[in-house]
Amino acid sequence: MSFILWIPLVGPLAFAVLGLLLRGSALCRFVGVAASSAVLVSGLLLVSAALSGYVPDSGGGMLRADALSAYMLTVVGAVGLISTWGGLSSATSSRTRDAAGYEALIALFLAAMSLAVLADSIGLMWAAVEATTIATAFLVGHHRTRRSLEAAWKYVILGSVGVAIALLGIVLIYAASVGTDTPTLSWLLLSQSDLGLDPALITAGGALAVLGFATKSGLAPMHSWLPDAHSQAPAPVSGLMSGVLLSVALYAILRIQSITDLVIGPEFLRTMLSIGGLLSLLVAASLLIRQRDYKRMLAYSSIEHMGLMAIGVAIGPAALPSVLLYIFGHGLIKATLFVISGRILKIEGTPSISDVRALLVRRPGLAVPWLIAMAAIVGFPPFSIFFSEVGIIMAGWSVGLGGIVGAALVLLLVIFAAFTRLTVQMTIGVPSAGTAFTPDYSAHGPRLPIILALATTATIAFVAEPVGTLLLQATAVLGGTN
Amino acid sequence: MNTALSSIIIASVQVVLFVFLAPLLMGLIRQVRATIEGRAGAGIWQPWRDVRKLLAKNPVRAEGSSWMLRAGPVALMVSSLLLCVLLPLVGTIPFPSIPSDLFVIVSVMLIGVVALALVGLDGGTAFGGMGSSRHMTVAALVEPTLLLSVYALSIPAGTSTISAIVETRLLSPEVIISPVSVLALVALSIAIMAETARLPIDNPGTHLELTMLHEAMTLEASGRDLAWLEVGSWLKLAALLGLVSNLVVPWGIVTDFSALGLLIGVVTIAVKVLVLGVLLSVGEIFLAKVRLFQVPELLAGSFALAFLAVTASYLVA
Amino acid sequence: MTAIGAELLLQTEIGAGLLPQTAIGAELLLQTEIGAGLLPQTAIGAGLLLQLGLGALAVVSGLMAAPSLRSRAGGILCTLLAVTGLATGLGALLGATGGLLIPIALPMDPLVLAPDRLGGLFMLVVSGVGILVSLYSMSSTRGADASRTAWVAMPVFLVGMQLVPAATDSVSFLLAWEIMTLGSTVLLLADHASRATVASASIWYSAMSQLSFFFILAGFAVLAAASGGTSFTSLQAVEPGSWPANLAFVLLLLGFGGKAELVPLHVWVPRVLPEAPSHVSAAMSGAMVKIGVYGGLLVCVRLLPDGPPWWGIAIMLVGGVSALYGILQASVSSDLKVLLAYSTTENMGLVFLGLGASMLLRGFDATAAADAALVAALLLTISHAAFKSTLFLGAGAIIHATGERNLDRLGGLGARMPVTAAAFGIASLGAAAIPITSGFVAEWMLLQSLIHGGRLDGAVVSVAASVAMPLAVAVIALTAGLALLTFVKAYGIAFLARPRSAAAADAREVPRLMQLALALGALFVLALGLLPGPIAALVAHTVSSNPTTAVQSVGLGGVSLPGIGAVLDPIMLVVLSALVAIPVIVSIIVSARRHPHRTVDLPWGGGGSRARPRMQYTATSYAEPLVRVFDDVLKPSRDVQVTHVAESRYLVERVRVEQRVSDIFETRLYRPVLNLLQRYGIVVRHLANGSIHRYLSYSFVALLIVLIVVSL
Amino acid sequence: MFEAFYPQLIGLCTGSLLLTSALMVWRHSLLASIRLLALQGMALAALVAVIGIAEGEPELVLVSLLIFSVKGVGLPWVLAHQSKAAVKQIQESPRLNPTAALLAVTLLTILSYVVVSRVFGLGDSVTGHAAPIGLAMVLIGFLLLISRRRARSQLIGFLMLDNGIATLAFLTSGGVPILLEFAVSLDVLLVVLILHVFAGRMRTKFGGTAVDQLRELHD
């Protein structure tokens, strides 16, 4: 059974190599899809294993898939599939030399994220997270324009520095474990209650690690790379980064939290994450009010959602099932939105909101899914984000974070209003007089992934079994008994 | 005697009496005014003659006017007749299932107000609309005074049934001159002046279109349409004066049914209404019509009185 | 989307454990009425499930049906959906129990839909409006209004509205609530391609809806935190008057008040209701707004009864201000749908006034008056649903026939559209609270409860009540007076006199199905007004612990309030009027035979022979005196442009007068805040000015702060 | 014998680490900075070797070799890969003037002493006493990142930051597990390579490597 653990790592790499070998063939554009399918399938297999109470490990305990890891792996696979499938380029454009490299990097990226969630060692996970930066650096800069180069530079510098801070934190945590009898970086061992870790070291290490991973998960004030990178990367890459890379970093934060909570209690990280979450919401709200670029708009929306998730993490076990469901819902919807935004960008040729007008009349084939996904991302039911937000807010009050949650609601309202305004500007209304047009019903790309993503997020919250159980098990992994 | 039957008899008597009395009251008011102003006057029966004349004419209706021009006057008439049925004018024995609830009475009166306003609009002229608009504005602003004075009057009796209020006053006359009652009555009187388009809110004798309220709405009506409008308005005035007089001087009203009592009741209410009419007429001599946009001030004043009456009745009593 | 895996809630299924945490779920469920019922009564559950199923079917038909069949199919399915809701609501109102469990992946209290009597009442009201609207829309929708999107959104909207009152826990409440909001938002967008104003209306609507939603969410969260559960049964455990209860009360009041169009959260109303297609406005104003009222009742009657007196006073204050402000704006408006929209604010204000009065009076143990006020508020809610949906449908018929909703360009429609005119007229009477319509009964009962509320057995109840009650009466009176003017204006200008534009002159009566919906609506208005007794008695069961002492039915359909000794029998009033009318009518018939009327071009015409329709009074001029009287509140802006004849300055060629009354809450409260936000939004861009050094500094500062904090 | 020298050796190594860091802030010439970076890498390698010998762990000696080859030789070589002449001419015009920068360096060093003393309690061990140097290097590296305009100078800052972490790791816990050490080194190497490629592209696209020019993406 434990060989499944290797599929999401080896599979994508194999496909990447295959793609490079098939360079120039039309087949190589399917490398990303194949890689994400591999991840998704193994994720689902591991989920079923976790549900039956079996926790496979491999590589001398380096890889381990408990319920949380399996869940995250599934999310990676699902979002990857939606992004890559939805972003499938036409067969002709994939014959260029770049295409194979691009697909290979995507596969590498997926493998790195899979490793990050499967690793049972903080160190290995750190390396995997850093590897995502390396894999995506050229993806962000894929277009080779001045802007994409700028975005890539900022992304790599800010991302690496952030992750370096995380490494500093991990070093301190390791130092704490060196102080005990068993120097280790294993989650499993570190999150045991009787280790006697040094509280001061764990505080400092935890804080630094969280701060570092907050960079990758796009929490303010470490978020600065995110709008630039998301707006310049090719749409599927943006979708992947926004949909899962941020969440994988959040997963790291969750794991760190499960260590620190045991040693120093939840208060310290709770304060830190609440501040970070609120700041993220504030930043998103502030910069969405007069946003001009729809891909940046989506990027700030990711910051917002990560902020709310961070508040959920701060709240602790009561909100964790909601946060986990949130990760899934946000990932799929945001990937969908980025995929559609990529198509809009391609067809309209401008990323500017004010230049894209009356989309619903001119291009209903793009505008309708765009609007549905927008409704989902701002938290309308039946999409699962609604339940996650309600769950987090409700839980927030019950653990005494009413003030934080209240402030978050105010900011969410501003964000909602700004978001609605921008969306309406893009989609609603009629084209200015004199421009002839015929309604374009084409979706400009595969429709199925979009429909699948929307349908899945619309129904998943109502699937009490086995999703509910899985979420509870994943929460239990993090020390929550809820 | 059976309450229901006696109430039906009293109501019928009231209707017949007031249909007879209302034109007479108008005639008296106009004649008194004419006499005081030194004119000969048309005599107190002139309104009767007017009505007879109007009923015998072919009504002229405007092209494009709707059924409202026909139905509106009837509605006004019916609402005024209903007032005569429901108010305790001759006797205080109400119908069992429709006690003379003041809120109901006010609403019934409003049916007439609305009907008149719609008739004014239906003519399709500037003046009709103008009259209608002003009439409704005044009616809207009068409403609080009206209901609050009703409220104030209802407090001593513990009910808004006007028969019960009058009976309470009959039993304990000291209520009548209590400050609360006086305040409420003054407020109610102002409200009634406004509702019935008397001075100082409206000048019933005017023929200058720009200042008219009531008359402007009836400009397009003729023949029997006009007759119903006129009689309906007179009836309303008479009935409301009857109400005020019974609130101030409740004696003579029938509380236990008997033939003699009924006769006394009929005579006393006729006298009371006619006396009040004379007083009204004399009073109006000394009043000038206020500007339309000062009417709200007047109504605000009356509202304040009514409000004081209510709160005083809670805080004093 | 409505095809969520819902399952009938049977006792056995609870035991079998559909939920992740079976024990907790079953335990909580057992505490609720549904669980406690001895026999599983699944009729209600089946009704709810059928609603979901029909909703899903309607969505599918909206997606799949051919454009020519879409309105017909959608309309029929929506009507069926609403009829199911009506039946379910009626069942629940009469005391049937049963419910539906919505499975959920998150560990929460179970999501159960199981309407109680009050919920049943509101489901009934909402579905009743739904039937009217569905029938009407079957033939009224054309073009964009009949688009695929619109017909997908319609059932979603209806299902959402019909399920909110069924919720027995805060999460399913919020779920249905948001589905309702989503459906209505999409419907609002129907005409976006033809009018630019739709876009801004939709932004306002979404933002204000979200504001309401967040208030409610926060309110429920506060209560849930204080009580430890999200089901209404556990929320009831919160002590009223404790600070979480106070906070939650304020939040929930704001949230539900926003949906119920109360001041100052009403700003979306004058934008949204006019811009939405008329059948949607009817559904919003007739039904959706009632959900706000339901929320208010849920808080005040079910979750947090017996609150401190200031709760009642706060509700009365909000309600009173809304009533006055709403009707004032309505009375000066010349746009028919804006007028109706503001009038909704007024009516809801009165409903909340009644609700607040009832809370206040209950606090002073004036139970009879409190019950009467509450029943009055409910009656007003029901009657508002009837007359306001009819009015909006009537306005839709006018737009259908003329394409105009500006009263200043209408007129003379009475002769051209008799059925619409009659229905609109009856509904207007209802809105103006004239006997014998539904509005009258409700207002009468409200006034009765207020004047009897100041005293209890002859003793003054409290200073607060003795100030609040007269003020409330005054507010109701002024509101009623202005409503009278408003609806005389609306009806008189639109339907009477001569047409003020060519479009109005060419108007034709609307199709049969629309007439049917209008006639049904008018019939409801009359029926509610003629038979208040049985209805009030039924309604009293939903809110009063001792309904028979509060309200009784007397005579043929009369209502009596035994606790405060007031009786009203509208049928007797009709009989009496008929009796006194007989002589009048007889004399008319006699006179008409002898003296038939003549129709002339202009009998008098103000003395002029060339009086043209343009010279008629318009809606704007009709309201002019009122604008002057309430100058200080309305703050109208006037613009007079005089064009002189070229030859002489003393001769005037044309005068153009423009008067605009804007919403002071929008211009004085919302605009400044929004402008500030916009300015902030521009300034704050400097945070992300593109400099990597600045971005690194953010991280560096964060790192330094964290280092300093951990070493403290 | 070795035990007697041990504290001095540790002191020497960490001292030179701090010294090179401060000098890098001071000097504006790119070439000088690269040389100092190489020196720093060698000092780090020496430090690891010393600790390894003291603890008697041959593994650490191996790591020391790795560090020497990557940080002491490899990375500086990559950075200086461009023709020497061109590199020589590149002069930083930092965003922070040298006095302020050096002042900041002292402040950051003090801060890291405070932080480390609170977190670790310093203890009696020689390495513990030297630990603040690692943190100081991290912070100084960060300072370089913020204050330097050129792409390569930023890279140097990043590398110094990384050296700081490594220093801290070795001083506090004798280094992280060897596998992680490899991974970290590989990651750093790759990041530097990527940035190097980007810097190259930047030169072709922007005609220079001034990071300041990257201002097109903003709100």
Side-chain angles (χ1 to χ4, degrees), chain C residues 51 85 107 123-125 185 199 204 233 240 250 254 259 332 337 365 432 449 499 512 520 555 569 587 603 691:
Chain C
Q51 289 181 46
M123 194 185 275
L124 184 81
V125 170
T185 312
W204 275 94
T233 330
V250 171
L254 285 169
K259 208 56 164 185
V332 300
K337 289 183 79 174
D365 292 325
S449 67
R512 292 260 173 230
L520 267 181
D569 191 344
S587 63
S691 157

Side-chain angles (χ1 to χ4, degrees), chain A residues 75-119:
Chain A
V75 175
V76 171
V79 176
L81 186 61
I82 298 298
S83 302
T84 51
W85 187 3
L88 269 189
S89 50
S90 60
T92 47
S93 67
S94 65
R95 285 175 201 277
T96 56
R97 242 190 87 254
D98 273 358
Y102 168 82
E103 293 290 337
L105 281 172
I106 291 227
L108 192 66
F109 181 30
L110 284 166
M113 285 194 291
S114 306
L115 179 61
V117 296
L118 288 175

Side-chain angles (χ1 to χ4, degrees), chain C residues 139-477:
Chain C
S139 90
S140 78
T141 49
R142 48 190 178 185
D145 291 358
S147 71
R148 183 178 292 174
T149 322
W151 273 114
V152 168
M154 188 74 187
V156 173
F157 182 35
L158 290 180
V159 165
M161 284 197 295
Q162 288 171 198
L163 293 189
V164 173
T168 62
D169 65 278
S170 36
V171 177
S172 53
F173 185 96
L174 292 169
L175 172 65
W177 179 278
E178 279 297 89
I179 287 176
M180 169 180 88
T181 306
L182 182 64
S184 53
T185 312
V186 176
L187 280 171
L188 167 64
L189 285 174
D191 288 333
H192 76 98
S194 51
R195 287 197 302 276
T197 38
V198 173
S200 91
S202 66
I203 297 172
W204 275 94
Y205 181 61
S206 312
M208 293 307 288
S209 299
Q210 194 73 1
L211 179 65
S212 285
F213 171 64
F214 280 164
F215 273 134
I216 297 166
L217 174 58
F220 278 146
V222 169
L223 283 182
S227 68
T230 55
S231 79
F232 289 157
T233 330
S234 52
L235 297 192
Q236 279 167 356
V238 180
E239 180 67 31
S242 61
W243 79 262
N246 282 335
L247 179 61
F249 169 78
V250 171
L251 290 170
L252 290 172
L253 177 65
L254 285 169
F256 292 126
K259 208 56 164 185
E261 312 190 348
L262 296 188
V263 170
L265 298 169
H266 68 287
V267 281
W268 58 275
V269 182
R271 291 169 176 275
V272 170
L273 293 187
E275 293 306 337
S278 292
H279 65 285
V280 178
S281 325
M284 280 181 166
S285 174
M288 185 181 76
V289 164
K290 305 301 174 298
I291 299 297
V293 175
Y294 173 70
L297 286 164
L298 184 70
V299 175
C300 301
V301 177
R302 199 161 153 199
L303 298 183
L304 303 167
D306 313 317
W310 71 264
W311 288 13
I313 292 173
I315 298 180
M316 285 180 82
L317 197 69
V318 171
V321 171
S322 305
L324 274 183
Y325 185 76
I327 196 60
L328 208 52
Q329 284 283 357
S331 63
V332 300
S333 167
S334 300
D335 183 316
L336 183 57
K337 289 183 79 174
V338 173
L339 180 152
L340 293 178
Y342 270 122
S343 143
T344 307
T345 296
E346 171 236 357
N347 288 105
M348 292 304 103
L350 289 182
V351 169
F352 274 80
L353 191 64
L355 178 60
S358 126
M359 274 193 107
L360 187 61
L361 293 172
R362 204 177 298 280
F364 297 126
D365 292 325
T367 316
D371 280 347
L374 202 50
V375 173
L378 280 172
L379 279 185
L380 192 54
T381 309
I382 300 168
S383 65
H384 179 258
F387 68 69
K388 193 50 65 70
S389 45
T390 312
L391 285 171
F392 265 114
L393 294 182
I398 293 176
I399 296 171
H400 193 273
T402 65
E404 274 294 341
R405 51 176 223 236
N406 186 352
L407 284 170
D408 291 349
R409 299 178 55 77
L410 294 174
L413 296 179
R416 293 165 179 80
M417 310 169 69
V419 177
T420 308
F424 194 93
I426 291 171
S428 296
L429 290 179
I434 293 288
I436 43 162
T437 59
S438 55
F440 167 68
V441 181
E443 256 181 51
W444 172 83
M445 199 181 285
L446 189 53
L447 284 169
Q448 286 293 355
S449 67
L450 291 178
I451 67 165
H452 288 97
R455 287 178 173 217
L456 193 62
D457 305 326
V460 174
V461 161
S462 79
V463 178
S466 52
V467 175
M469 295 301 144
L471 271 179
V473 170
V475 165
I476 295 173

Side-chain angles (χ1 to χ4, degrees), chain D residues 17 21 40 133-141 160-161 163-164 167:
Chain D
L17 282 172
S21 309
Q40 193 174 56
I133 305 273
L135 189 57
M137 284 168 71
V138 171
L139 296 178
I140 294 168
M160 196 207 285
L161 194 156
N163 287 345
T167 311

Side-chain angles (χ1 to χ4, degrees), chain C residues 638-671:
Chain C
R638 285 194 195 88
D639 186 21
V640 183
Q641 285 176 2
V642 183
T643 316
H644 296 282
V645 176
E647 292 83 46
S648 165
R649 273 189 46 76
Y650 297 101
L651 297 176
V652 173
E653 189 184 358
R654 81 172 41 229
V655 179
R656 180 189 161 77
V657 181
E658 198 176 324
Q659 174 169 299
R660 195 172 286 121
V661 178
S662 50
D663 194 308
I664 49 165
F665 285 93
E666 191 186 319
T667 52
R668 304 280 166 99
L669 180 63
Y670 287 84
R671 281 281 158 216

Side-chain angles (χ1 to χ4, degrees), chain C residues 493-588:
Chain C
I493 300 282
F495 290 98
L496 300 182
R498 286 176 287 166
R500 294 174 180 79
S501 68
D506 297 337
R508 290 284 165 273
E509 185 58 282
V510 290
R512 292 260 173 230
L513 216 49
M514 290 166 76
Q515 291 181 26
L516 176 69
L518 285 166
L520 267 181
L523 211 63
F524 279 139
V525 176
L526 283 182
L528 291 170
L530 281 173
L531 303 167
I535 295 165
L538 201 57
V539 163
H541 274 87
T542 64
V543 284
S544 172
S545 50
N546 200 353
T548 44
T549 59
V551 181
Q552 279 174 2
S553 176
V554 293
L556 268 178
V559 60
S560 105
L561 307 170
I564 53 185
V567 183
L568 177 72
D569 191 344
I571 291 184
M572 275 305 286
L573 205 62
V574 176
V575 171
L576 269 186
S577 342
L579 284 178
V580 296
I582 285 172
V584 178
I585 290 170
V586 167
S587 63
I588 288 177

